[in-house]
């Protein structure tokens, strides 16, 4: 009710009304941050730190997995000419799925 009265009092000048609301929002945010600081939230802080520390190992695993997929794609692509010497059906399937590194990688 108090906020509504203050907004109505400043609504004669729209720019004052908007400025007042922005300032009020900033003060509310500062108050919320102060409350969060007082609570401590050690568990939340510990969770955030754990996520931050796990990013680097995740990236390393992602890079190593990509390298393994690429290595097997190259290996499968290099086997295609040997398989292609068999019958026509086998040859078409081999080239369809393993004809290039990009085709071999998803398999």
């Amino acid at each position: 009710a108090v906020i509504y009265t203050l907004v109505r009092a400043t609504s004669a000048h729209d720019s004052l009304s908007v400025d007042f609301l922005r300032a009020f929002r900033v003060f509310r945010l500062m108050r919320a941050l102060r409350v969060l600081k007082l609570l401590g939230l050690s568990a939340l802080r510990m969770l955030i730190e754990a996520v931050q520390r796990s990013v680097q190992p995740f990236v390393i695993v992602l890079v190593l997995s990509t390298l393994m997929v690429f290595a097997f794609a190259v290996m499968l692509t290099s086997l295609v000419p040997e398989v292609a010497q068999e019958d026509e059906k086998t040859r078409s399937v081999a080239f369809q799925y393993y004809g290039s590194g990009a085709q071999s990688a998803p398999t």
Side-chain angles (χ1 to χ4, degrees):
V2 175
I3 297 169
Y4 180 74
T5 307
L6 289 172
V7 171
R8 289 296 279 171
T10 59
S11 67
H13 304 288
D14 287 338
S15 64
L16 287 176
S17 174
V18 172
D19 291 339
F20 173 76
L21 289 175
R22 284 183 185 156
F24 185 70
R25 184 173 25 180
V26 169
F27 287 121
R28 280 184 25 209
L29 181 63
M30 288 173 50
R31 187 175 62 196
L33 290 174
R34 189 174 26 180
V35 168
L36 288 176
K37 188 182 271 188
L38 289 175
L39 290 176
L41 297 174
S42 62
L44 178 62
R45 196 171 297 141
M46 189 170 37
L47 269 172
I48 291 171
E49 287 177 11
V51 168
Q52 287 175 340
R53 289 181 184 165
S54 66
V55 169
Q56 183 181 6
F58 174 72
V59 169
I60 291 171
V61 167
L62 193 65
V63 167
L64 290 175
S65 297
T66 303
L67 287 174
M68 285 193 61
V69 167
F70 178 73
F72 277 98
V74 169
M75 182 187 71
L76 288 173
T77 304
S78 68
L79 294 175
V80 169
E82 295 175 21
V83 175
Q85 294 174 357
E86 295 179 16
D87 62 354
E88 185 62 33
K89 185 176 181 181
T90 306
R91 178 184 173 152
S92 67
V93 169
F95 276 110
Q96 178 184 359
Y97 292 112
Y98 308 108
S100 69
Q103 292 170 327
S104 300
T107 58

